[in-house]
Amino acid sequence: MPELPEVQTVVNSLKSHILNKSIFKIKIIDRSVIYNNYDNFHILINQKIINTFRIGKYIIIQLNNNYLAFHLRMTGYLYFSKKNITPKKHIRCYLQLNKNSFLIFEDIRRFGGFYILNDLSEIKNKIGVDPFDKRFSIDWLKIGLNNKKRQIKSLLLDQKFICGLGNIYIDEILWHSKILPLRKSNKIKYKEVKMLHLFIIKLLNDSIKHHGTTIINFKYDNMKTGNYKKKLKVYGRENKKCFRCNFLISKIKVAGRSTHICTNCQR
DNA sequence: ACGAATGTTGCGGG
DNA sequence: ACCCGCAACATTCG
C-alpha cells in the first residue's frame, strides 16, 4: 500500500518522537522481519537515532554507526508509542528507546521488514531517481522513457527507473496526463512527458499534504489515516463517471496490476 | 464456502 | 530487453 507520500507521512510523524533517543532494547518477535544480518542486531544497542528520512519507499533511520532501512511493502505499519503493546497479533518487532518510548513495527502480511546497513549504497544502488531529486527533470524523463519500449505503466512501476511511485498514484498520474497505461514508453511525446513530469510532482506533493491515501490498511502515528483518497480521480472508481468527460471508468490488468482508466479521454 | 483480489518486490523463464 | 507469472502472507470480498 504505502507509496512515496505514505512513506513520507510516516517519516514526518516519527521524527519528533524518536530523534536523539537511543536504542535501549530490541525485541524481534518474527525473525523474517530482518532482511539481513539477523545475528548482528545486538550491535544496535545504545546507538542514538541521529536522523530519519526517506529514500524511495524506504524509511531510513540513521544511527551513530548503522542505518536501519525499513520497507513497509503492502501492510507495514511503523509507529511510535509510549506504551509497549506487544501482545497485539501482528507486531513483528519493536525497539525500546527509553522507559516510555517504543518504535513498533506491525505487519499483517509479513512482507515488510528492515535491513541493517553500514551505509546506504546497497539501497541507493537498487533504486532509481527520486521524483524530488534535482536529477528528475523533464529532459531526463523524456530520455528515460524513450530509451525503452515498455508499457508506460510497467516502467513507472519500476523502482530502478523512478523510485516512489506505485499502483495508485500511477493510475492517477496517467489519468491527469491523459495517457493510456498500455502505451509504449518510446512513443510518449514531449508534450506528454511534460504533463507526466508535472503531475508526478504535483500529485505526490498534494498527497503528502493530505497525509497520503488510506484505502484499507495504511495508518501512521497512532491509528491516523490519510485523506488523499477523497482526491482520487480513477483509482477504485470502476463503473463510475469520469470527472472530465462522464464516460464510465473501466478496470483492466496492466503489468499484472489492477488499472483504472477512462478509455475516452486517455489516449 | 471458496476462489479472487489487495496498495510491493524479486525471481525465473520464455 | 521486455513481459509474464508466481512467490512471499493474511485478510476481506463477492
Side-chain angles (χ1 to χ4, degrees), chain A residues 32-155:
Chain A
S32 67
V33 79
I34 305 185
Y35 290 140
N36 65 347
N37 280 345
Y38 173 74
D39 296 330
N40 282 340
F41 71 83
H42 66 273
I43 64 174
L44 304 176
I45 298 286
N46 288 329
Q47 290 197 51
K48 189 196 268 191
I49 296 171
I50 56 179
N51 202 1
T52 177
F53 52 94
R54 177 189 65 73
I55 295 186
K57 297 181 189 173
Y58 289 89
I59 298 162
I60 309 296
I61 294 180
Q62 183 179 358
L63 307 170
N64 300 107
N65 302 321
N66 294 94
Y67 294 88
L68 305 182
F70 276 89
H71 200 299
L72 306 175
R73 295 290 185 101
M74 301 281 271
T75 53
Y77 176 28
L78 184 66
Y79 62 103
F80 176 83
S81 171
K82 292 186 184 236
K83 289 180 201 147
N84 183 355
I85 47 174
T86 36
K88 280 179 77 179
K89 186 173 178 188
H90 300 298
I91 292 179
R92 307 299 173 193
C93 68
Y94 65 85
L95 305 180
Q96 182 170 2
L97 303 179
N98 58 37
K99 203 169 188 180
N100 296 311
S101 294
F102 298 84
L103 182 62
I104 302 178
F105 184 68
E106 277 183 47
D107 188 5
I108 296 172
R109 290 175 70 177
R110 299 173 61 209
F111 297 157
F114 64 93
Y115 295 92
I116 300 170
L117 303 168
N118 293 318
D119 61 79
L120 293 174
S121 56
E122 190 181 322
I123 298 288
K124 287 182 172 168
N125 288 340
K126 70 174 163 190
I127 62 175
V129 170
D130 193 283
F132 293 115
D133 191 305
K134 280 181 194 153
R135 289 175 291 167
F136 184 68
S137 67
I138 295 171
D139 290 339
W140 177 89
L141 186 58
K142 174 91 166 78
I143 292 165
L145 292 174
N146 292 3
N147 270 343
K148 311 242 174 192
K149 297 181 186 175
R150 298 176 59 177
Q151 291 173 343
I152 182 70
K153 175 158 183 176
S154 162
L155 184 51

Side-chain angles (χ1 to χ4, degrees), chain A residues 247-264:
Chain A
F247 210 80
L248 290 190
I249 302 294
S250 40
K251 183 174 168 181
I252 59 173
K253 282 258 184 239
V254 179
R257 316 292 301 280
S258 71
T259 298
H260 308 74
I261 52 172
C262 174
T263 54
N264 187 47

Side-chain angles (χ1 to χ4, degrees), chain A residues 221-235:
Chain A
D221 208 350
N222 277 298
M223 303 294 285
K224 290 181 188 151
T225 53
N227 289 320
Y228 194 76
K229 187 182 179 186
K230 295 174 195 155
K231 307 277 180 182
L232 297 179
K233 304 297 187 195
V234 276
Y235 187 87

